[in-house]
Amino acid sequence: MSITETSDPVRNGVDTATLFATLDAVKEAPEAGGFQFRAHSQWVGGTHSRSTITDFFGVGEERAHERTWVFDADHPAVLVGTDQGPTPVEFVLHALASCLTAGLANIAAARGVTLTEVRSTVAGDIDLNGILGLDPSVRNGYQGITVRFTVKGDAPAEKLRAIVEQSRARSAVYDIITNQVPVTIEVDPG
């Protein structure tokens, strides 16, 4: 299903005019769609690290967020941490929930659907035998992730399900999780 324009200027908190202008601009100049997002992280101690997100590249130039975002990550005491923040794998669940929810709001707005409630629970099953190197047949990451949505709005259930499916199909985070993304690790000893 394709996104179709709506006459409502703002729906579900989404500025539809800006949404469609962005779609049109990238259609006309595909190179404008190339972005690079960044996170800068520093070890605090133990399993605790702190990341800042402030700068990115987009629409042909270096840019900055309106403010710097700071996120702490750690492990709970049962996993040798001090619980100064969510675990990195929990941030992955948050990223997936946030991406799917944002897409859902955008797609619903574009299709003229007013949402009244969107909630999700994202659960990931992980086995420490992989991370701890105790069983080489067990992967280090999640064995599976389940997303459960509650979606309510002024559309029939089948249309709401189709919007969720379109959000999944267009989700960058879903794509990152479900497809291999090349990752290069470089070390500067300096």
Side-chain angles (χ1 to χ4, degrees):
M1 291 186 199
S2 64
I3 295 177
T4 56
E5 191 165 343
T6 178
S7 60
D8 295 332
V10 176
R11 183 181 295 268
N12 305 324
V14 175
D15 178 342
T16 56
T18 300
L19 174 63
F20 289 113
T22 300
L23 286 167
D24 290 342
V26 175
K27 277 183 198 172
E28 290 177 24
E31 67 279 359
F35 276 66
Q36 181 186 71
F37 293 102
R38 305 178 187 113
H40 308 278
S41 187
Q42 184 164 341
W43 173 61
V44 177
T47 60
H48 182 196
S49 64
R50 180 168 296 129
S51 295
T52 57
I53 297 175
T54 188
D55 60 318
F56 64 97
F57 179 88
V59 194
E61 64 185 61
E62 288 295 324
R63 298 177 176 275
H65 287 281
E66 292 181 19
R67 63 177 271 209
T68 297
W69 300 97
V70 179
F71 301 99
D72 284 64
D74 200 353
H75 294 130
V78 70
L79 293 175
V80 197
T82 56
D83 216 7
Q84 299 298 306
T87 65
V89 293
E90 289 168 311
F91 275 108
V92 171
L93 301 178
H94 164 68
L96 180 59
S98 300
C99 191
L100 290 169
T101 301
L104 203 153
N106 280 339
I107 294 161
R111 293 183 181 180
V113 173
T114 299
L115 299 171
T116 56
E117 180 180 0
V118 177
R119 289 183 292 117
S120 66
T121 298
V122 183
D125 297 314
I126 201 163
D127 184 340
L128 293 183
N129 285 292
I131 297 169
L132 298 174
L134 301 174
D135 184 344
S137 70
V138 176
R139 68 178 294 163
N140 294 338
Y142 287 122
Q143 279 80 42
I145 296 173
T146 302
V147 182
R148 284 189 170 76
F149 269 107
T150 297
V151 182
K152 297 178 182 175
D154 66 355
E158 62 274 3
K159 187 167 187 175
L160 294 173
R161 276 192 292 280
I163 291 169
V164 171
E165 175 53 28
Q166 182 64 22
S167 177
R168 184 212 52 83
R170 301 281 25 110
S171 169
V173 176
Y174 181 89
D175 177 77
I176 291 166
I177 292 171
T178 60
N179 294 297
Q180 276 191 328
V181 175
V183 177
T184 303
I185 297 179
E186 300 171 351
V187 178
D188 179 6

